[in-house]
Amino acid sequence: MTEMTEKEKASRGLLYNAYYDKELIDERAYCKALCYEYNQLHPAKIEERTALIQKLFGKIGGSFLIEPPFMCDYGYNIEIGSNFYANHNCIILDAAKVVFGDNVMIAPNCGFYTAGHPLDAERRNTGLEYAYPIKVGSNVWIGGNVVVLPGITIGDNAVIGAGSVVTKDIPPGVVAFGNPCRVTREIIDGDKKF
């Protein structure tokens, strides 16, 4: 039996070492270089910006706009649906898959973090971490300064209020906010007036 690479361990949700593994270090360096290039482009260079994101992401479903600055770790683990919008200062730590449905709107200063670390300091100090995927459904609006933690699923048609820390799955069709983020109510027909 051959030993798994650190990248294979990460893809299976096992503890892996991202700090000292050459393959992962090189992949992050490549990604950071593309993010740097993207973030330095003049705002009018839409085609160049689009081409860099297409080169970076694993899958793109259609039209999108990502306002710089934008940062991610690997890029190839990110999948976006059609009509995707991310405002300034979006950070996606994509050691595991991060999948967004269609018509997702993300306000400024949001973070999607698939990576976590052991609670035990001795293990954590060796560079071990884990990565659990994040899934955001279609027609989701995420308010400013939201943090989404590893392993979270946000259902279709949900709204996440500004400043929330999403620590548990959010069902479809609800408004949720807070730290930790909690469902406050369902979205109803009366909400169409806003």
Side-chain angles (χ1 to χ4, degrees):
M1 185 169 97
T2 59
E3 188 173 320
M4 283 190 280
T5 66
E6 298 305 302
K7 185 174 180 176
E8 289 170 332
K9 291 176 191 175
S11 72
R12 288 176 171 84
L14 304 172
L15 285 174
Y16 70 99
N17 194 314
Y19 295 156
Y20 305 112
D21 182 75
K22 181 171 176 12
E23 179 183 22
L24 294 177
I25 291 168
D26 290 347
E27 288 180 352
R28 283 194 309 275
Y30 173 77
C31 179
K32 300 298 184 200
L34 288 179
C35 288
Y36 176 83
E37 188 177 343
Y38 181 81
N39 293 326
Q40 303 310 308
L41 284 172
H42 188 280
K45 298 199 175 220
I46 304 279
E47 288 180 22
E48 292 90 337
R49 286 170 49 187
T50 299
L52 280 171
I53 293 296
Q54 289 171 332
K55 187 175 182 179
L56 190 59
F57 285 8
K59 183 177 177 184
I60 296 172
S63 62
F64 66 90
L65 177 58
I66 300 170
E67 303 286 2
F70 168 77
M71 291 299 297
C72 60
D73 277 342
Y74 299 97
Y76 56 74
N77 281 325
I78 301 170
E79 299 180 5
I80 60 173
S82 186
N83 198 29
F84 176 85
Y85 178 76
N87 213 319
H88 302 285
N89 296 317
C90 182
I91 298 173
I92 303 176
L93 302 184
D94 62 314
K97 287 276 186 198
V98 181
V99 179
F100 297 93
D102 296 330
N103 304 307
V104 172
M105 296 173 55
I106 301 170
N109 302 312
C110 289
F112 301 83
Y113 309 145
T114 65
H117 302 276
L119 296 178
D120 175 67
E122 188 175 330
R123 294 185 84 192
R124 185 172 60 246
N125 291 342
T126 66
L128 291 176
E129 65 181 50
Y130 58 85
Y132 300 149
I134 293 172
K135 184 171 191 278
V136 177
S138 293
N139 307 308
V140 172
W141 174 24
I142 297 177
N145 296 299
V146 168
V147 172
V148 180
L149 296 181
I152 298 299
T153 296
I154 298 173
D156 292 345
N157 305 306
V159 175
I160 308 298
S164 296
V165 178
V166 186
T167 61
K168 293 189 183 333
D169 290 351
I170 303 297
V174 299
V175 175
F177 61 88
N179 182 3
C181 188
R182 291 184 177 90
V183 173
T184 59
R185 67 180 183 89
E186 290 185 18
I187 296 174
I188 56 174
D189 282 341
D191 291 325
K192 290 182 180 179
K193 65 183 176 185
F194 294 105

Coordinates of all heavy atoms in Angstrom, one line a residue, residues 135-141 152-160 166 168-176 182-188 191:
K135 N -20.2 24.5 0.9 CA -21.1 24.6 -0.2 C -22.1 25.7 0.1 O -22.8 25.8 1.1 CB -21.9 23.3 -0.4 CG -22.8 23.3 -1.6 CD -23.3 21.9 -1.9 CE -24.0 21.8 -3.2 NZ -25.3 22.3 -3.3
V136 N -22.3 26.6 -0.9 CA -23.2 27.7 -0.8 C -24.2 27.5 -2.0 O -23.8 27.4 -3.2 CB -22.5 29.1 -0.9 CG1 -23.5 30.2 -1.0 CG2 -21.5 29.3 0.2
G137 N -25.5 27.4 -1.7 CA -26.5 27.2 -2.7 C -26.7 28.3 -3.7 O -26.0 29.3 -3.7
S138 N -27.7 28.2 -4.5 CA -28.1 29.3 -5.4 C -29.0 30.3 -4.8 O -29.6 30.1 -3.8 CB -28.8 28.7 -6.6 OG -28.0 27.8 -7.4
N139 N -28.9 31.5 -5.4 CA -29.7 32.7 -4.9 C -29.5 33.1 -3.5 O -30.4 33.4 -2.7 CB -31.2 32.4 -5.1 CG -31.5 31.9 -6.5 OD1 -31.2 32.6 -7.5 ND2 -32.1 30.8 -6.7
V140 N -28.2 33.0 -3.1 CA -27.8 33.3 -1.7 C -27.2 34.7 -1.7 O -26.4 35.0 -2.5 CB -26.8 32.2 -1.2 CG1 -26.2 32.6 0.2 CG2 -27.5 30.9 -1.1
W141 N -27.5 35.4 -0.6 CA -26.9 36.8 -0.4 C -26.2 36.7 0.9 O -26.8 36.3 2.0 CB -28.0 37.8 -0.4 CG -27.5 39.2 0.0 CD1 -26.3 39.7 -0.1 CD2 -28.3 40.2 0.5 NE1 -26.3 41.0 0.4 CE2 -27.5 41.4 0.8 CE3 -29.7 40.3 0.9 CZ2 -28.0 42.5 1.3 CZ3 -30.1 41.5 1.4 CH2 -29.3 42.6 1.6
I152 N -19.3 23.8 6.2 CA -20.6 24.4 6.2 C -21.3 24.3 4.9 O -20.7 24.5 3.8 CB -20.5 25.9 6.7 CG1 -19.9 26.0 8.0 CG2 -21.8 26.6 6.5 CD1 -20.7 25.4 9.1
T153 N -22.6 24.1 4.9 CA -23.5 24.2 3.8 C -24.5 25.3 4.1 O -25.2 25.3 5.1 CB -24.2 22.8 3.5 OG1 -23.2 21.9 3.2 CG2 -25.2 23.0 2.4
I154 N -24.7 26.2 3.1 CA -25.7 27.2 3.2 C -26.7 26.9 2.1 O -26.3 26.8 0.9 CB -25.1 28.6 3.0 CG1 -24.1 28.9 4.2 CG2 -26.2 29.7 2.9 CD1 -23.4 30.2 4.0
G155 N -28.0 26.7 2.4 CA -29.0 26.3 1.5 C -29.4 27.4 0.5 O -29.2 28.6 0.7
D156 N -30.1 27.0 -0.6 CA -30.6 27.9 -1.6 C -31.5 29.0 -1.0 O -32.2 28.7 0.0 CB -31.4 27.1 -2.6 CG -30.6 26.2 -3.5 OD1 -29.4 26.2 -3.5 OD2 -31.3 25.3 -4.1
N157 N -31.4 30.1 -1.6 CA -32.3 31.3 -1.2 C -32.2 31.8 0.2 O -33.1 32.4 0.7 CB -33.8 30.9 -1.5 CG -34.0 30.4 -2.9 OD1 -33.7 31.1 -3.8 ND2 -34.5 29.2 -3.0
A158 N -31.0 31.5 0.8 CA -30.8 32.0 2.2 C -30.1 33.4 2.1 O -29.5 33.7 1.1 CB -29.8 31.0 2.9
V159 N -30.3 34.1 3.2 CA -29.7 35.4 3.4 C -28.9 35.3 4.7 O -29.5 35.0 5.8 CB -30.7 36.5 3.5 CG1 -30.0 37.9 3.8 CG2 -31.5 36.6 2.1
I160 N -27.6 35.6 4.7 CA -26.8 35.6 5.9 C -26.5 37.1 6.2 O -25.9 37.8 5.4 CB -25.4 34.9 5.6 CG1 -25.7 33.5 5.1 CG2 -24.6 34.8 6.9 CD1 -26.5 32.6 6.0
V166 N -20.6 31.9 10.6 CA -21.4 30.7 10.3 C -20.7 29.4 10.8 O -19.7 29.0 10.2 CB -21.8 30.6 8.8 CG1 -22.7 29.5 8.5 CG2 -22.3 31.9 8.3
K168 N -22.6 26.5 11.8 CA -23.4 25.4 11.5 C -24.2 25.6 10.2 O -24.3 26.7 9.7 CB -24.5 25.2 12.6 CG -23.9 24.9 14.0 CD -25.0 24.5 15.0 CE -24.6 24.3 16.4 NZ -23.4 23.8 16.8
D169 N -24.6 24.5 9.6 CA -25.3 24.5 8.3 C -26.5 25.4 8.4 O -27.2 25.5 9.5 CB -25.8 23.1 7.9 CG -24.6 22.2 7.5 OD1 -23.5 22.7 7.3 OD2 -24.9 21.0 7.3
I170 N -26.9 26.1 7.4 CA -28.0 27.0 7.3 C -29.0 26.4 6.2 O -28.6 26.2 5.1 CB -27.6 28.4 6.9 CG1 -26.6 29.0 7.8 CG2 -28.8 29.3 6.7 CD1 -27.0 29.2 9.3
P171 N -30.2 26.2 6.6 CA -31.2 25.6 5.7 C -31.6 26.6 4.6 O -31.3 27.8 4.7 CB -32.4 25.2 6.6 CG -32.3 26.1 7.7 CD -30.8 26.4 7.9
P172 N -32.2 26.1 3.5 CA -32.7 27.0 2.5 C -33.8 27.9 2.9 O -34.6 27.6 3.8 CB -33.2 26.0 1.4 CG -33.2 24.6 1.9 CD -32.5 24.7 3.3
G173 N -33.9 29.1 2.2 CA -35.0 30.0 2.4 C -35.2 30.6 3.7 O -36.3 30.9 4.1
V174 N -34.1 30.9 4.4 CA -34.1 31.6 5.7 C -33.2 32.8 5.7 O -32.3 33.0 4.9 CB -33.7 30.6 6.8 CG1 -34.7 29.4 6.9 CG2 -32.3 30.2 6.7
V175 N -33.5 33.7 6.7 CA -32.6 34.7 7.1 C -31.9 34.3 8.4 O -32.6 33.8 9.3 CB -33.4 36.0 7.4 CG1 -32.5 37.1 7.9 CG2 -34.2 36.5 6.1
A176 N -30.6 34.4 8.4 CA -29.8 34.0 9.5 C -28.7 35.0 9.8 O -28.2 35.6 8.8 CB -29.2 32.6 9.3
R182 N -27.4 32.3 13.5 CA -28.6 31.5 13.8 C -29.7 31.9 12.9 O -29.9 33.1 12.5 CB -29.1 31.8 15.3 CG -28.2 31.2 16.3 CD -28.8 31.5 17.7 NE -27.9 30.9 18.7 CZ -26.9 31.6 19.3 NH1 -26.7 32.8 19.0 NH2 -26.2 31.0 20.3
V183 N -30.6 30.9 12.6 CA -31.8 31.2 11.7 C -32.7 32.1 12.6 O -33.0 31.8 13.7 CB -32.5 29.9 11.3 CG1 -33.8 30.2 10.6 CG2 -31.6 29.1 10.4
T184 N -33.2 33.2 12.0 CA -34.1 34.1 12.7 C -35.5 34.0 12.2 O -36.5 34.2 12.9 CB -33.7 35.6 12.6 OG1 -33.6 36.0 11.2 CG2 -32.3 35.8 13.3
R185 N -35.7 33.7 10.9 CA -37.0 33.5 10.3 C -36.9 33.0 8.9 O -35.8 33.0 8.3 CB -37.8 34.8 10.3 CG -37.2 35.9 9.4 CD -38.0 37.1 9.4 NE -37.6 38.2 8.5 CZ -38.0 38.3 7.3 NH1 -38.8 37.4 6.7 NH2 -37.5 39.3 6.5
E186 N -38.0 32.5 8.3 CA -38.1 32.1 6.9 C -38.3 33.3 6.1 O -38.8 34.3 6.5 CB -39.2 31.1 6.7 CG -39.0 29.8 7.4 CD -40.1 28.8 7.0 OE1 -40.9 29.0 6.1 OE2 -40.2 27.8 7.8
I187 N -37.9 33.2 4.8 CA -38.2 34.3 3.9 C -39.6 34.1 3.4 O -40.0 33.0 3.0 CB -37.2 34.3 2.7 CG1 -35.8 34.6 3.3 CG2 -37.5 35.2 1.6 CD1 -34.6 34.5 2.3
I188 N -40.4 35.1 3.4 CA -41.8 35.0 3.0 C -42.2 35.9 1.8 O -41.4 36.8 1.4 CB -42.7 35.4 4.2 CG1 -42.4 36.8 4.7 CG2 -42.6 34.4 5.4 CD1 -43.3 37.4 5.8
D191 N -41.6 39.7 1.8 CA -40.3 40.2 1.6 C -40.0 40.7 0.2 O -39.0 41.4 0.0 CB -39.2 39.1 2.0 CG -39.2 38.8 3.4 OD1 -39.4 39.7 4.3 OD2 -39.0 37.6 3.8

